[in-house]
Amino acid sequence: MARVAKKKARAKRAVRAKAPAGESPVVAKAQKAVDAATKSLDAQLDRVAKARARVQKSSTAAAKQSLSSANGKAKELRAKLASAKVDLAKANVMDAVRQVEEDAKQKLGDLAEKLKAQHDKDLAKAKAAFEARWKKTRAAVHAKKLKAAEKKVEAKVKAAAKKAAAKAKALEKKAAAKAKAEAKKAAKKTAKKAARPKAGRPKKAAAKKVTAKKAGRPKKAAAKKAAAKKTSAKKGATKKSARRGRPPKKK
């Protein structure tokens, strides 16, 4: 009695949706290979099922040969599908690495932009701080130099004022001496004019001469008296010195 072949109901494999826009071409290619291998295996499994049904109906050598050939082909397609799936898994792993790398690059780019903006801000702040410090330092240096210059100028002005005062004093002294000399000269001139004899009075001048002569005579007499006194004093001293000491012995 011929056995009725029961057709096994196989679940249809889900068809993969369209690849996303950001998917790697390698992954897309591997996925395409997996889809093709799956489709080929499904078709071959249908052939195997038909061959098995024929074997169950007739059980002839040709049917068995057809079933064996279909099973061999299905085995090859399974191996091919498994290899395609491995390639897809590898591609997915590499794509994940690529995605991580791209994300990292994107993050690095964003960070670089952020740091650049921050760099510009920090540079502006640093410039402002440096400028403020530099201005403060230079202001202190300039103030110090200005103070030193002011001291020098003050000293110079004081020295000039002192010199001018001394010069003015010397000029005043010179002017005073000149005025005094001129006054003395004028007084002398006036006295000389006053001492000149007046015309018509010669007797008074003669009387003055006589008086002068008389006044000069007693001076000579006084000088003679003083000389006589000195001589007598010397003689007395000689006598006194002769009396002193022992008297000479008599022979």
Side-chain angles (χ1 to χ4, degrees):
M1 186 176 172
R3 294 172 62 188
V4 179
K6 292 182 180 179
K7 199 171 183 180
K8 292 182 180 179
R10 288 187 300 103
K12 292 284 183 183
R13 288 180 176 85
V15 180
R16 187 174 179 270
K18 194 175 180 181
E23 190 178 41
S24 170
V26 178
V27 175
K29 187 178 179 181
Q31 185 63 51
K32 194 174 180 181
V34 168
D35 292 341
T38 303
K39 191 175 180 181
S40 298
L41 181 59
D42 287 343
Q44 187 61 32
L45 288 175
D46 288 339
R47 291 189 196 99
V48 168
K50 287 177 182 179
R52 187 177 288 113
R54 281 196 299 271
V55 168
Q56 286 176 357
K57 280 181 182 180
S58 61
S59 190
T60 59
K64 288 179 180 179
Q65 182 64 34
S66 178
L67 178 60
S68 179
S69 178
N71 281 330
K73 187 70 175 175
K75 190 176 180 181
E76 288 177 5
L77 289 173
R78 280 194 186 94
K80 191 175 180 180
L81 178 60
S83 178
K85 284 182 177 179
V86 169
D87 291 340
L88 178 61
K90 287 180 181 178
N92 282 327
V93 170
M94 295 306 295
D95 186 60
V97 173
R98 181 190 63 81
Q99 192 64 37
V100 169
E101 187 178 358
E102 285 183 358
D103 291 343
K105 284 181 179 178
Q106 183 64 34
K107 285 180 181 179
L108 285 173
D110 295 341
L111 182 62
E113 290 295 327
K114 188 178 179 181
L115 288 175
K116 188 178 179 182
Q118 189 66 33
H119 168 78
D120 294 338
K121 288 181 182 178
D122 292 343
L123 182 61
K125 284 182 182 178
K127 280 182 179 178
F130 174 77
E131 188 177 356
R133 282 198 307 273
W134 186 85
K135 283 183 178 179
K136 191 177 180 181
T137 306
R138 296 309 296 173
V141 171
H142 290 167
K144 195 174 181 181
K145 285 183 179 179
L146 186 62
K147 196 172 182 181
E150 284 177 357
K151 282 184 178 179
K152 284 183 180 179
V153 169
E154 284 177 5
K156 199 171 182 180
V157 169
K158 282 182 181 178
K162 192 175 180 181
K163 194 174 180 181
K167 197 171 182 180
K169 195 173 182 181
L171 288 171
E172 286 176 1
K173 195 174 181 182
K174 192 175 180 181
K178 192 176 180 181
K180 191 176 180 181
E182 285 180 358
K184 194 174 181 182
K185 193 176 179 182
K188 195 174 181 182
K189 197 173 182 181
T190 306
K192 200 172 182 182
K193 280 182 181 180
R196 283 179 186 174
K198 291 182 180 180
R201 293 183 182 179
K203 288 181 180 180
K204 282 186 179 180
K208 281 182 182 179
K209 283 181 181 179
V210 172
T211 309
K213 283 180 181 179
K214 285 180 180 179
R217 282 176 186 175
K219 286 182 181 178
K220 287 181 180 179
K224 283 180 180 180
K225 283 181 181 180
K229 279 182 181 180
K230 281 182 181 180
T231 307
S232 61
K234 281 181 180 180
K235 285 179 179 179
T238 308
K239 285 179 181 180
K240 282 180 182 179
S241 60
R243 285 175 187 174
R244 285 178 186 176
R246 291 179 181 180
K249 291 180 180 182
K250 292 180 180 180
K251 290 181 181 180

